[in-house]
Amino acid sequence: MTSLQTLRRLGGRSGKQLLRVATLLLATTVVAFALVSLSPVDPVQQYVLGVGNVSMEQRAAIADYWGLNDPPVQRYFLWLSALLRGDMGTSLLYRQPVAVIIRERFLNTLALMMTSWLLSGLIGFTLGCVMGLRRGRWLDRVLRALCLMLSSVPTFWLGLVFLLIFSVALGWFPIGLSRPIGVANADVTFGQRLHHLALPALTLSFISFASVALHTRQKLIDVLESDYVLFARARGENTWTIMKRHGFRNVILPALTLQFASFSELFGGSVLAENVFSYPGLGAAVSAAGLNSDVPLLLGVTIFSTLFVFSGNLIADILYGVIDPRIREERPHGQSNRD
Amino acid sequence: MIDPLSLLLDVQNLSVSFRRYQRGLAQTNLNVISDLSLTARAGEILAVAGASGSGKSLLAHAILGLLPANAMLSGVMRYDGQPLNAVRQKQLCGSEIALIPQSVTYLDPLMRVGDQARGAEKSAERMERQREVFRRLELPLPSERLYPFQLSGGMARRVLFSTAIISDARLIIADEPTPGMHLSQAMEALSILRELADAGKAVILITHDVDLALNVADQIAVFYAGTTLEETPAADFAAGPDALRHPYSRALWRALPQNGFEPIPGFQPYPEALPDGCLFGPRCELKTAACEQETPPMRTVRGGKVRCVHAA
Ligand code: SF4
């Protein structure tokens, strides 16, 4: 198959993907908007809490200014048309443009998520391979019990336990935030950032590494019991050779896909982890926005997280096509005369 | 009659059973191969022929040391005069003893077939050898860059055959290499085996198709319910029922399309419920009380071997 054909196929696929992401965005924003509209929290009340003495007339003026008296459908379309012009609106809570908030916080969240993503991927894959190779033995049983236990522990609880042990009792890690207090942003060193990142990232990675490990274990067992591994053994290949030649090759693909498709859980987990560790990322912002009925911020982050999760799935999809020869290469017609 | 030097594999009274745990701690043993004997000689094709479900593949696995951990094995296997134990199986498999598996599922779906044909050994000579064998099997050179899913059935079979030829093993075990093939394809596959035997290899052809095996085999081992009932020169099978020694072999002969297509009444016993004495007893017209006393031992009769008390 020529690269031109590949390109054409990818082109056709990306058109479809674009349509999918547009409808997905529309749907998620509508749902998010409907949920905040139904919320009993009055954004004006939340706003004036921080301002102090505000008369009823002033409140009404604020509500009017924010357009809270308009029908919800009209408000939604106002927001949408502004968005299409590139304006994500202004956060009621932080009194800053939503785009600025997202830009600032996204880097924090991205650092957190990527670190924990790598951690959970590496630990999960390694553990899964160890369990698969030792299947049925005591090491496998112990690790599997551990994984099953971990996958049923709530993140925020685990975060609190880590906080208590490593930050409060042992003092190894800071208690919160993404950098030391009282240090200007420009002066924060990479080491300091990492130091603040470590514990939340570890907590977050604990959500998914157990499932990665269990999945990898099962997949590896399937591979080791396959006909082709039996044949490899018949040809005198030892376990390590079999792992090198057939094991990793056949296990890494589903593991990678799973890992990229886990972006949604990662984002959900980051909301909890960031709140426990007072880590100033998007997750903390979105829960604040929800609790205070900050519609523009909430919708802004919704769009952003939808795009984020979607791109994870898209990468998984594309990776499959690039790595898996059964998708990458065409079935030749009859006798092949390629290359 | 037989040059003892050419004897390569000698299996005597091989039994394989699986330990199974049932409710609680009750443990039962499932006999899948019992008291099986056969010999494979260099330069010859031995066809192990019998109905499907008789445990023929397990025989291959036993010789190659591929049985699962819950399998128990007894009896004696000798390769080239030396006992074939687990240590030796590890040394010999892949280099001296090669398996030709039955289907494309024995190829790694994510690895190019050239790499798989060469195996774990990496060297320029190996590469050269693989290309030479591919040429010999009329596999076009570019096919070494293909993945298994891109192969036609015939190409996949030739790739599987190539693994054994590249290894230059002296004993080749082909496990059902022909099912699902057109006659011409099957004959092509068998002719490759014939060539290998003529080049001095010992070939064990495990098959359910006696008719097809008769075309190329030198010896036939009639396999039934996990054991060999008769070992005979293939010529005797061609000659007809009078030349054969065991009632089951004769029934098999009569069941061949050209000999009347006569079905054999009854069915093969399951490993869970093997009969006492002769395993063929429940289906045998010649059965007498003596047949149920004990498993008939393998006896040499008219230049072949047979496991029947009444054979003469
Ligand atoms: S031993 Fe008896 S039952 Fe078995 S095949 Fe011979 S005659 Fe038949």
Side-chain angles (χ1 to χ4, degrees), chain A residues 227-228 230-231 233-237 241 245-246 249-250 324-326 328-332 335-336 338-339, chain B residues 61 66 93-94 99 101 105-111 115-117 119-120 122 142 146-147 149-150 155 163:
Chain A
D227 285 347
Y228 54 88
L230 186 79
F231 184 42
R233 285 209 289 134
R235 301 175 76 190
E237 293 182 19
T241 311
R245 280 174 65 80
H246 308 291
R249 187 186 298 256
N250 281 279
D324 193 333
R326 286 165 296 191
R328 184 182 64 220
E329 303 198 10
E330 292 273 279
R331 203 175 276 273
Q335 204 70 300
S336 154
R338 302 162 61 257
D339 300 333
Chain B
H61 293 178
L66 298 179
C93 281
L99 172 73
T105 61
Y106 286 81
L107 293 176
D108 186 334
L110 299 183
M111 191 186 268
D115 193 356
Q116 303 201 55
K122 301 222 178 322
L146 295 180
Y147 290 92
F149 81 99
Q150 295 170 306
M155 288 169 81
T163 59

Side-chain angles (χ1 to χ4, degrees), chain B residues 288-309:
Chain B
T288 60
C291 306
E292 285 177 352
Q293 302 271 297
E294 52 164 4
T295 313
M298 206 55 144
R299 293 186 296 133
T300 304
V301 172
R302 287 185 274 122
K305 286 183 189 152
V306 64
R307 203 183 272 288
C308 168
V309 287

Side-chain angles (χ1 to χ4, degrees), chain B residues 270-301:
Chain B
Y270 296 113
E272 288 90 346
L274 293 180
D276 291 332
C278 176
L279 291 177
F280 187 62
R283 300 169 78 179
C284 184
E285 291 168 357
L286 305 177
K287 186 172 82 169
T288 60
C291 306
E292 285 177 352
Q293 302 271 297
E294 52 164 4
T295 313
M298 206 55 144
R299 293 186 296 133
T300 304
V301 172

